[in-house]
Amino acid sequence: MYRYDEFDAEIVRERIEEFRAQVERRLKGEITEDQFKPLRLMNGLYLQLHAYMLRVAIPYGTLSSRQLARLARIARDFDKGYGHFTTRQNIQYNWVRLVDVVPILEALAEVEMHAIQTSGNCIRNVTADHFAAAAADEVDDPRVWSEIIRQWSTFHPEFSFLPRKFKIAVTAAETDRAAVQVHDIGLHLKKRDGKLAFTVYVGGGQGRTPFVAPAIRDDLAPEDLLSYLEAILRVYNRAGRRDNLYKSRIKILVSALGAEEFARQVEEEWRLSDRARIDLPADEEQRIRDYFAPPCFRTLKDADAGFEAARARDAAFARWVSTNVHSHRTPGYASVTISLKPVGGIPGDATAAQMEAVAALGKRYSFDEIRVSHEQNLILPHVEKADLHDLWQALKENGLATPNAGLISDIIACPGLDYCDLANARSIPIAQGISNRFADLEQQAQIGELKIKISGCINACGHHHVGHIGILGVDKHGEEFYQILLGGRGDERAKLGKITGKGLPAEAIPDAIARIVARYIALRTDESERFIDAYERLGPKPFEEALYAEIKELAA
Amino acid sequence: MSVLLTRAGVVRDDPWRFLAEDEAAADGADVVVPFARLRAEARLAERAGRLGVAIAPGDRVEEIVDKLPALSLIAVAFPGFRDGRGYSTARLLRERYRYAG
Amino acid sequence: MKMLTAHDLKTGAVVYWSGDGRWTPRIADAALLEDAAAAEALKAAEAAETVIVHPYLVPMDQPAAPIARERVRELIRARGPSTHPEFARP
Ligand code: HEM
Ligand code: SF4
């Protein structure tokens, strides 16, 4: 795994000292809040509804056991005993005291973590496929490229004051699990004529003006990556709008110019650039790649007799395996989704005890590696099949074995009005209401894959535009209302959901979702036709009808 | 490269005089002209006295590349610290156009 | 009528202006202020930079009852996240 080198560690330490002095000056009244606010934001510290909130970066979602255990300790010592994993593969602490922030940053620095570039108009934490280096459908480890981008973008002298925040996501698998097409830049590494090449998507995003990004290039040689990114960023830094906050993302520039013209400008800029000076020499790429060397897998047969026997014997285990265990490219191994979505629970929250348990299990069963998925779950990427039953039991003891990965209760929800200063409506209770409505796991399994995503306002932190069913909280004369979107998807065939008719009050949402689901079940060709497939085959009409039908009809 | 900015965004060096749009460039004086004037007034470099240009965030340095050899000073303005366009300008000047003034 | 609220600078905790020189964590103890008094209290709060952060006024119709668009938001702010009743404040 990548370890920060001396250079990084030194800068992080300097930043903490700088911030310590800034906090002291703020407390003494030597600087005002107006002066302090940009400084605290540069260190990931927001002021939210109830308290300060600290956002900590988890680059490309990869953690060691020691790092996760440290996140647990911070939750216990400095927060109310839990943390919230976000769609951006970060963790947010919701109850941080200003006077504790420096000690927290010090505790993070000891395990090579920090909160830098988690706010502000810079290149933010790079996100990647959570099954990196485990997925069978992968052509390379996306974290190698994510790390190269991380090093290049951290404290980048030219791109630290962009028109607006900038998010880059990377995948190197056929199935896009990182929603790359709804990022400012999405990089999809593929094999092309036997060679690796990036498809470069630019100008995707959610928020109030959502876009699926157009691809401006499908044959970028990996060794040209950094110079090409610089060309994109430079065109954006110079031409992106700075006069209107809502029009300042790169997606607006790309759509105003048209993808073709934007691509032309990037190519022109790239042609003129001094690539040799920017691109990573092969030996440097190799040095970074070495950090991501695969663990020492044992040579195993793919089928494990003990595992198969447990699966045959124990129906609850078998159910969990069918949803939360994923095939691995190494025979005899599997990847495991640890659901942070217990029935009726808060999506993405984990207690200190749970984080500690997962840290220990990661150490014991998964080569000391844990991942955070953008779907707000934790992942153990490399588990021997023979260990799965033991692991499952240990997870169960910690309330972490809900067999619902990818199902209707595996909901993405932003913090919403329970925490967020910008919110219009609550998100979490809506997720809980739906989760409780579908508490029967048997029924969930029968419904099959269905991705519900909820945001508490138009900013779309909860990805509602790309939920199979998206839910957006709106404010209607001081009341919380919810707009429903249908048919979005965030994968390699990304699409924005269609906004349906008028919003519904919170109490009506679980039944409204149930009506849509009932209609789907009635219309699907068979169990293999997922909700999203049926939607794409039939169009929105039958589902919209169901959504606005009387509640009575459903009961019949 | 000479980004001679003080906190207030003004060059501190005394001999330099920042000219307004319509202010005549006196012979013999060291003057810094706005970007648009540098482009429009062909004869500025023929005067006695040094010549500089003030580049605002939206100005595109590509348009004055042919004039760079005549410039003794380039002032890249950062009117607000959130506006990072000047960093691209500075980088282009230094790396692409090898301005070392 | 208005209420003055802010966050404690050191802890970030939600506080209300009691009207008698104190900041209190309880919305029930927040002073109901006439517009002129409210504006004055806000001005004083803005000057109290070393004590609190982000002071602002909330429209009210009676004690502990924010109105209009702020209603749900301010009630959640006063009590704590609706998803964590165990953290609820009186
Ligand atoms: C609680 C503090 C938060 C604040 C103040 C905040 C603010 C914002 C804003 C203003 C936008 C819109 C940007 C735009 O349209 O240009 C946005 C978008 C977004 N945020 Fe958040 N957010 C917060 C929490 C989160 C959390 C918890 C997550 C992850 C669960 C998240 C992930 C995202 C994502 C994925 C987007 C959409 C993509 C984009 O347009 O950037 N944010 N956020
Ligand atoms: S979508 Fe809105 S409510 Fe939800 S976290 Fe983002 S800004 Fe807050």
Side-chain angles (χ1 to χ4, degrees):
Chain A
M1 192 181 299
Y2 181 73
R3 294 183 47 105
Y4 281 8
D5 51 32
E6 272 309 302
F7 174 72
D8 285 329
E10 187 62 39
I11 294 184
V12 169
R13 267 195 304 273
E14 279 168 22
R15 273 292 282 270
I16 294 174
E17 286 317 309
E18 212 175 83
F19 192 55
R20 185 199 309 278
Q22 290 160 347
V23 172
E24 276 167 17
R25 296 183 63 204
R26 174 70 184 91
L27 291 172
K28 285 194 207 138
E30 291 169 12
I31 48 176
T32 64
E33 181 62 17
D34 284 348
Q35 292 166 319
F36 181 64
K37 187 173 170 185
L39 304 175
R40 67 168 159 78
L41 286 173
M42 271 161 66
N43 291 285
L45 189 66
Y46 291 70
L47 183 62
Q48 287 292 297
L49 214 49
H50 305 289
Y52 294 102
M53 179 273 279
L54 183 70
R55 186 183 285 165
V56 177
I58 302 172
Y60 33 90
T62 295
L63 288 167
S64 67
S65 298
R66 182 163 167 256
Q67 289 174 320
L68 183 54
R70 183 56 57 96
L71 294 179
R73 205 180 91 191
I74 291 169
R76 180 175 288 122
D77 291 352
F78 297 109
D79 201 286
K80 290 188 192 281
Y82 67 103
H84 180 72
F85 290 98
T86 79
T87 52
R88 297 261 323 128
Q89 298 180 316
N90 294 312
I91 184 170
Q92 293 188 171
Y93 293 107
N94 290 305
W95 301 96
V96 169
R97 306 184 323 155
L98 178 58
V99 286
D100 289 335
V101 174
V102 166
I104 294 173
L105 295 177
E106 286 173 329
L108 289 169
E110 281 171 18
V111 295
E112 289 146 3
M113 297 183 78
H114 58 68
I116 292 164
Q117 286 181 220
T118 59
S119 171
N121 297 334
C122 53
I123 301 169
R124 303 282 190 91
N125 188 33
V126 181
T127 53
D129 185 352
H130 47 263
F131 289 143
D137 63 346
E138 176 177 283
V139 297
D140 192 14
D141 187 337
R143 296 170 308 162
V144 172
W145 303 103
S146 308
E147 174 54 27
I148 289 170
I149 295 168
R150 191 196 67 76
Q151 293 195 13
W152 159 79
S153 63
T154 303
F155 302 120
H156 195 292
E158 186 178 348
F159 305 132
S160 294
F161 297 96
L162 296 166
R164 196 78 174 93
K165 55 176 145 178
F166 205 91
K167 300 176 181 177
I168 303 178
V170 188
T171 188
E174 215 168 288
T175 308
D176 173 11
R177 286 169 286 260
V180 305
Q181 295 177 31
V182 286
H183 283 75
D184 295 291
I185 294 180
L187 296 169
H188 199 153
L189 191 60
K190 299 175 185 175
K191 268 248 161 68
R192 212 169 179 274
D193 309 326
K195 280 207 282 219
L196 289 179
F198 281 109
T199 299
V200 182
Y201 296 94
V202 185
Q206 306 205 40
R208 69 184 60 224
T209 12
F211 283 101
V212 171
I216 64 164
R217 192 67 200 258
D218 65 358
D219 60 351
L220 182 70
E223 59 272 21
D224 293 336
L225 178 65
L226 291 186
S227 58
Y228 200 75
L229 291 179
E230 287 227 341
I232 296 171
L233 265 298
R234 182 169 294 152
V235 168
Y236 169 56
N237 190 38
R238 301 181 78 196
R241 287 182 64 172
R242 292 174 187 265
D243 58 328
N244 181 337
L245 185 68
Y246 299 126
K247 303 212 154 124
S248 54
R249 296 288 288 261
I250 196 172
K251 60 191 174 186
I252 304 294
L253 178 65
V254 173
S255 101
L257 292 174
E260 230 165 88
E261 169 60 16
F262 178 80
R264 193 197 61 74
Q265 293 191 11
V266 169
E267 293 288 330
E268 172 71 7
E269 177 57 44
W270 190 50
R271 193 178 58 75
L272 292 171
S273 73
D274 188 356
R275 287 189 228 166
R277 168 180 202 136
I278 305 164
D279 283 319
L280 214 54
D283 56 335
E284 189 57 14
E285 180 196 318
Q286 189 56 48
R287 188 183 70 85
I288 290 175
R289 190 171 286 281
D290 289 345
Y291 285 117
F292 297 96
C296 303
F297 292 121
R298 297 201 304 151
T299 308
L300 300 167
K301 283 219 271 309
D302 194 41
D304 180 83
F307 165 66
E308 295 305 338
R311 191 144 77 145
R313 185 176 68 232
D314 188 335
F317 174 61
R319 167 169 305 146
W320 177 76
V321 170
S322 70
T323 51
N324 292 41
V325 173
H326 319 273
S327 58
H328 194 286
R329 64 160 167 248
T330 313
Y333 286 84
S335 302
V336 168
T337 297
I338 298 173
S339 170
L340 297 181
K341 322 286 176 71
V343 169
I346 298 176
D349 272 14
T351 64
Q354 287 178 323
M355 287 188 248
E356 269 155 8
V358 174
L361 293 170
K363 187 162 194 120
R364 174 141 183 221
Y365 294 117
S366 182
F367 297 95
D368 201 20
E369 246 191 90
I370 300 109
R371 308 274 173 78
V372 180
S373 78
H374 91 270
E375 293 178 324
Q376 300 181 287
N377 291 313
L378 297 176
I379 308 286
L380 297 185
H382 314 298
V383 182
E384 265 186 46
K385 286 184 178 171
D387 289 332
L388 283 170
H389 194 262
D390 289 348
L391 169 64
W392 173 69
Q393 282 178 311
L395 289 173
K396 227 168 39 161
E397 281 165 26
N398 290 283
L400 292 166
T402 315
N404 63 346
L407 302 183
I408 192 167
S409 63
D410 187 3
I411 298 170
I412 291 183
C414 78
L417 192 49
D418 282 304
Y419 294 97
C420 176
D421 197 39
L422 305 175
N424 280 325
R426 280 172 285 178
S427 307
I428 298 167
I430 301 299
Q432 292 174 306
I434 296 169
S435 176
N436 282 324
R437 181 73 168 70
F438 292 92
D440 179 355
L441 292 161
E442 182 69 41
Q443 188 199 3
Q444 287 197 33
Q446 280 165 9
I447 296 166
E449 183 185 302
L450 208 173
K451 302 195 179 210
I452 297 185
K453 309 192 188 214
I454 309 174
S455 308
C457 81
I458 192 81
N459 286 328
C461 303
H463 284 206
H464 64 270
H465 294 294
V466 292
H468 298 168
I469 300 178
I471 301 177
L472 163 66
V474 294
D475 172 88
K476 214 167 136 184
H477 315 300
E479 303 283 340
E480 298 163 287
F481 268 74
Y482 298 88
Q483 186 89 59
I484 299 203
L485 293 84
L486 293 171
R489 56 196 289 175
D491 58 6
E492 66 285 355
R493 293 172 52 205
K495 243 194 221 97
L496 301 175
K498 176 183 185 292
I499 299 173
T500 61
K502 63 179 191 324
L504 303 171
E507 328 64 272
I509 296 292
D511 283 338
I513 302 299
R515 290 197 298 278
I516 296 172
V517 168
R519 183 61 57 93
Y520 151 66
I521 300 278
L523 293 175
R524 70 180 173 190
T525 49
D526 58 46
E527 282 182 23
S528 74
E529 190 183 47
R530 300 172 305 168
F531 173 82
I532 189 69
D533 304 328
Y535 178 89
E536 288 178 359
R537 177 171 60 86
L538 296 162
K541 197 153 172 273
F543 303 101
E544 281 182 304
E545 277 169 16
L547 171 57
Y548 291 106
E550 285 302 310
I551 293 169
K552 279 189 236 99
E553 257 179 45
L554 175 82
Chain B
M1 213 196 86
S2 333
V3 184
L4 302 177
L5 297 177
T6 67
R7 277 173 177 277
V10 180
V11 172
R12 204 176 349 195
D13 249 355
D14 265 338
W16 290 100
R17 183 168 169 74
F18 274 69
L19 298 188
E21 293 294 341
D22 53 359
E23 201 175 340
D27 216 29
D30 295 339
V31 296
V32 180
V33 297
F35 186 83
R37 281 189 70 179
L38 183 70
R39 293 189 57 203
E41 298 173 32
R43 319 192 56 137
L44 277 172
E46 293 165 16
R47 310 159 25 260
R50 293 182 294 170
L51 179 63
V53 67
I55 301 190
D59 296 336
R60 297 189 70 85
V61 326
E62 290 87 331
E63 296 165 0
I64 57 161
V65 170
D66 57 326
K67 309 223 150 87
L68 290 179
L71 295 176
S72 307
L73 180 138
I74 297 179
V76 179
F78 290 84
F81 89 98
R82 286 162 181 283
D83 190 335
R85 283 178 289 181
Y87 297 111
S88 284
T89 305
R91 190 131 180 260
L92 285 171
L93 279 168
R94 197 167 28 201
E95 291 181 10
R96 181 167 303 162
Y97 304 118
R98 310 280 169 203
Y99 183 77
Chain C
M1 302 295 275
K2 299 219 168 79
M3 152 183 98
L4 175 60
T5 182
H7 293 262
D8 182 89
L9 173 64
K10 288 197 185 74
T11 66
V14 174
V15 288
Y16 302 93
W17 180 243
S18 67
D20 59 3
R22 283 178 314 116
W23 291 94
T24 161
R26 286 164 46 91
I27 191 172
D29 297 338
L32 267 186
L33 305 166
E34 298 292 348
D35 286 3
E40 207 167 294
L42 178 62
K43 227 168 131 197
E46 281 166 351
E49 283 257 6
T50 57
V51 182
I52 46 112
V53 55
H54 190 41
Y56 63 94
L57 295 170
V58 181
M60 307 279 281
D61 56 5
Q62 50 178 300
I67 53 167
R69 207 168 179 281
E70 286 80 7
R71 197 182 64 89
V72 187
R73 177 194 143 91
E74 287 304 331
L75 290 179
I76 289 174
R77 221 172 139 260
R79 289 181 198 144
S82 65
T83 47
H84 281 286
E86 72 276 25
F87 305 151
R89 297 188 302 164

